[in-house]
Amino acid sequence: MKNFKNIEHIVFGRGSFNTLDKILNPHRNNNDEFIFFVVDNYFKGKELENKIPSEKKDVIRFIDVDPYEPTTEQVDQLRDEVLKNYGLPAAIVGIGGGSIMDIAKAVALMFTNEGSSVLYQGLDLIKNPGVFHIGVPTISGTGAEVSMTAVLTGPEKKLGLKCDWTIFNQVILDPDLIATVPHDKWFYTGMDTYIHCIESENGIFNNALSHAYAEQSLKLCRNIYFGDGQTPENDDKLMIASMMGGLSLTYSEVGVCHALSYGLSKVFGTKHCFANCVIFQHLDDFYSEGVSEFKQMLNKQNIKLPVGLSKEWSDDQINTMSEIAYKLSHMWRHAFGEDWQKRLSIDKLKELYKRM
Ligand code: NAD
Ligand code: ZN
């Protein structure tokens, strides 16, 4: 059992971004009375920039989230710079994809917790509640908008700041915002949801609560990726599928693909959703039905994934990835059971990486 915390407020619907101003108003006089907006650089100069309800004292930072995932160093610098020049924000608003969701969640915590975010990578290490924070996703699939973790890559590990206070106080789900996502990124990120559900369902922590969310989320994914693809109606569905996939894994666990994906991202900086897709196609012996369906969706959406990548990898790199993945014992326990160590060796992990 997990006593899990959910988001305090969710608003869903086309145009719901316009309610942000009203949502922020009761918070504006807190702390040093300014709002800190963290926005994906993609939106610089786009229509959405003009719709951000910023006032004179507010601070906006556009962040380039490509090609690497958010780091502890990046979060520390952002916090230090804002604290030094403007003080403690009344609220933080993250507008972007999983990367921005994680940066917003992490910075919100780091404003009120001393030292580097490296100190807090792990479960329940955060000492003080963070600043009020709002998530506005603009690409759907990671479930970062609902999860209790802010995943950061640090000098030693890729691991989240994970605690109840990480969870957003408010989320705004406006399907209009995901309309401009390019087809390939739309596919990879959406498939993160699909893989969350397949993994959540296939393991010992699966239960009626996680199953109910996964079942609904999978139904929506099938509808979208076997159906008309990227349409306004499907954007509505994908936003909800992402949220439900995230809730499913919160109450269950992810598995083989995510464990391997962490190794790949740590060693090569490969983005999470793309890494998952590259790996998942080779996991038929663990998730045969899921992988077969995934391949049909790849075909239907005309997406080509790279293969033969491991030919370029050194033994050292494969060893490092295998060691990183092996340490994710909670995922292996879920996927293989309590005696997972009898069923999985580092050599097996190396063999899996060599399939890619
Ligand atoms: P992202 O935030 O990295 O963005 C992917 C790309 O899409 C970027 O190029 C971005 O500029 C672009 N983009 C975003 N919105 C757009 C829009 N509306 N129109 C056009 N382009 C747009 O993508 P992601 O896949 O959502 O997030 C990946 C990150 O999420 C990784 O760092 C991963 O570690 C993290 N993650 C976190 C959790 C969690 O629970 N906290 C779960 C899974 C993944
Ligand atoms: Zn994922």
Side-chain angles (χ1 to χ4, degrees):
M1 276 172 266
K2 296 180 189 178
N3 192 6
F4 89 98
K5 185 170 180 287
N6 218 328
I7 301 162
E8 287 158 26
H9 285 92
I10 301 177
V11 52
F12 167 71
R14 225 153 267 285
S16 57
F17 184 69
N18 299 331
T19 64
L20 179 57
D21 197 18
K22 199 170 153 216
I23 289 168
L24 284 171
N25 270 338
H27 301 280
R28 280 198 169 273
N29 294 333
N30 294 340
N31 302 329
D32 292 312
E33 303 186 1
F34 69 96
I35 309 296
F36 179 33
F37 294 92
V38 187
V39 186
D40 188 317
N41 206 33
Y42 167 82
F43 293 105
K44 184 129 189 68
K46 302 279 191 318
E47 205 188 327
L48 187 74
E49 185 181 351
N50 300 323
K51 289 190 180 170
I52 298 174
S54 60
E55 296 186 359
K56 214 168 164 211
K57 282 181 78 179
D58 296 346
V59 176
I60 305 187
R61 285 286 170 277
F62 288 94
I63 297 180
D64 191 350
V65 300
D66 293 319
Y68 299 114
E69 300 198 319
T71 64
T72 48
E73 194 188 354
Q74 182 182 24
V75 165
D76 295 351
Q77 275 174 5
L78 206 55
R79 183 252 336 247
D80 293 345
E81 190 247 318
V82 171
L83 264 186
K84 185 166 155 241
N85 295 316
Y86 310 96
L88 186 64
I92 295 165
V93 183
I95 305 173
S99 303
I100 294 286
M101 295 295 102
D102 283 351
I103 293 173
K105 289 195 276 188
V107 171
L109 295 169
M110 293 316 299
F111 271 115
T112 52
N113 287 274
E114 273 182 44
S116 167
S117 49
V118 175
L119 299 170
Y120 306 104
Q121 283 184 285
L123 179 63
D124 288 336
L125 300 175
I126 290 282
K127 297 189 173 65
N128 307 304
V131 171
F132 185 87
H133 51 305
I134 302 178
V136 186
T138 65
I139 178 169
S140 291
T142 64
E145 65 277 22
V146 288
S147 78
M148 64 176 296
T149 180
V151 183
L152 299 180
T153 302
E156 291 191 358
K157 46 197 172 189
K158 180 185 167 185
L159 192 64
L161 315 187
K162 196 169 178 185
C163 69
D164 280 357
W165 293 317
T166 313
I167 302 214
F168 281 115
N169 300 96
Q170 165 86 53
V171 164
I172 297 178
L173 300 178
D174 183 342
D176 269 346
L177 304 186
I178 68 171
T180 51
V181 174
H183 186 69
D184 54 348
K185 291 177 185 172
W186 165 84
F187 185 84
Y188 305 141
T189 308
M191 282 303 112
D192 193 27
T193 288
Y194 180 79
I195 298 168
H196 288 160
C197 295
I198 297 294
E199 295 193 316
S200 163
E201 292 277 75
N202 287 284
I204 61 168
F205 299 136
N206 183 32
N207 58 77
L209 178 54
S210 63
H211 170 65
Y213 283 128
E215 189 176 45
Q216 186 59 37
S217 177
L218 284 170
K219 188 172 152 193
L220 291 167
C221 288
R222 286 172 184 134
N223 233 287
I224 300 161
Y225 290 95
F226 286 126
D228 305 334
Q230 221 171 350
T231 64
E233 197 190 316
N234 282 347
D235 287 343
D236 286 16
K237 293 180 189 168
L238 189 55
M239 278 208 133
I240 300 306
S242 172
M243 182 181 78
M244 291 194 148
L247 290 170
S248 177
L249 76 86
T250 295
Y251 215 70
S252 174
E253 191 46 85
V254 284
V256 181
C257 185
H258 274 75
L260 295 171
S261 172
Y262 270 62
L264 195 62
S265 296
K266 178 72 180 103
V267 171
F268 294 108
T270 315
K271 297 267 284 196
H272 178 79
C273 303
F274 178 65
N276 280 348
C277 289
V278 167
I279 296 163
F280 195 66
Q281 59 180 333
H282 300 291
L283 301 182
D284 4 10
D285 34 353
F286 305 103
Y287 308 111
S288 64
E289 279 174 34
V291 172
S292 144
E293 196 169 52
F294 171 76
K295 287 180 178 167
Q296 291 167 42
M297 291 191 273
L298 272 173
N299 279 340
K300 169 83 186 167
Q301 296 303 330
N302 215 1
I303 300 282
K304 301 258 176 302
L305 289 172
V307 287
L309 295 175
S310 64
K311 282 190 216 129
E312 309 291 323
W313 299 344
S314 70
D315 284 348
D316 267 0
Q317 286 170 326
I318 292 177
N319 290 349
T320 309
M321 287 192 283
S322 305
E323 275 156 25
I324 292 169
Y326 192 79
K327 284 188 193 138
L328 296 165
S329 52
H330 50 296
M331 298 183 193
W332 300 120
R333 251 180 89 206
H334 171 58
F336 293 142
E338 297 296 347
D339 61 346
W340 66 271
Q341 277 161 315
K342 287 189 193 141
R343 303 177 56 197
L344 185 80
S345 63
I346 296 263
D347 282 342
K348 175 70 186 170
L349 290 178
K350 288 184 198 165
E351 186 263 305
L352 289 174
Y353 278 116
K354 282 179 187 162
R355 289 183 192 181
M356 283 154 217

